[in-house]
Amino acid sequence: MCTKDKRCILGRVVGRGDLTPPGILLTPTGKTVLRYTRTIADAYQNITLDRFVIMPNHVHLLLTIHATGGGVGSPRPTIAQIIKAWKHLIAQDVGESIWQTSFYDHVVRDEVAYQEIWQYIDANPARWLQDRFYSEEDDP
């Protein structure tokens, strides 16, 4: 999920040397995003939050939706419903909507793709300087 206008309001990348691996120093808004991200699995009993990263202007989530015991007609939240609720709670907490209206989702079909996405999320802070939304103005 990207912030409105790709604004870098969630944090900044710190530590780019050999001795300090890249990480994200979150802003207060970023800390709010972190708090609500960590509650996703608690709010939805059939959802596992496997991996995530909060970047300066976007967030990556890797979620697993588990089958419920109720069968085919058993209600499960969709990714769209989960993200809508997550964005709403964050907006309510920070006092404004900070997100673009849409988001990109992708169904992970096998273990190889799952591992690639996991690694992509882990490596995202190290690739910040090559991110298409990065600009030097975002990096004090």
Side-chain angles (χ1 to χ4, degrees):
M1 281 67 57
C2 290
T3 58
K4 272 186 193 172
D5 302 320
K6 314 283 189 304
R7 294 180 330 196
C8 292
I9 59 171
L10 304 178
R12 64 185 177 92
V13 176
V14 295
R16 296 192 184 127
D18 292 333
L19 299 176
T20 55
I24 305 296
L25 181 62
L26 296 175
T27 63
T29 301
K31 289 177 184 178
T32 298
V33 171
L34 175 63
R35 188 171 72 249
Y36 286 106
T37 300
R38 288 182 170 159
T39 67
I40 290 172
D42 295 330
Y44 303 96
Q45 64 185 25
N46 65 321
I47 300 293
T48 303
L49 176 62
D50 297 330
R51 205 72 175 161
F52 70 93
V53 66
I54 300 169
M55 296 297 292
N57 61 5
H58 65 279
V59 176
H60 293 283
L61 303 174
L62 180 58
L63 303 171
T64 299
I65 302 176
H66 303 280
T68 59
V72 176
S74 181
R76 294 185 256 196
T78 66
I79 293 295
Q81 291 168 330
I82 293 166
I83 299 306
K84 180 180 179 181
W86 178 78
K87 286 180 173 183
H88 173 77
L89 290 168
I90 293 166
Q92 197 172 28
D93 196 305
V94 301
E96 66 176 310
S97 176
I98 63 169
W99 304 107
Q100 287 184 347
T101 56
S102 61
F103 64 95
Y104 173 78
D105 63 342
H106 172 76
V107 176
V108 181
R109 304 251 178 228
D110 58 36
E111 185 64 25
V112 171
Y114 180 88
Q115 292 301 323
E116 288 173 356
I117 293 167
W118 182 291
Q119 291 171 1
Y120 179 88
I121 289 171
D122 278 353
N124 213 237
R127 290 191 313 273
W128 177 239
L129 293 178
Q130 290 79 41
D131 191 285
R132 63 184 170 151
F133 302 123
Y134 169 80
S135 80
E136 289 185 20
E137 294 172 5
D138 301 330
D139 208 8

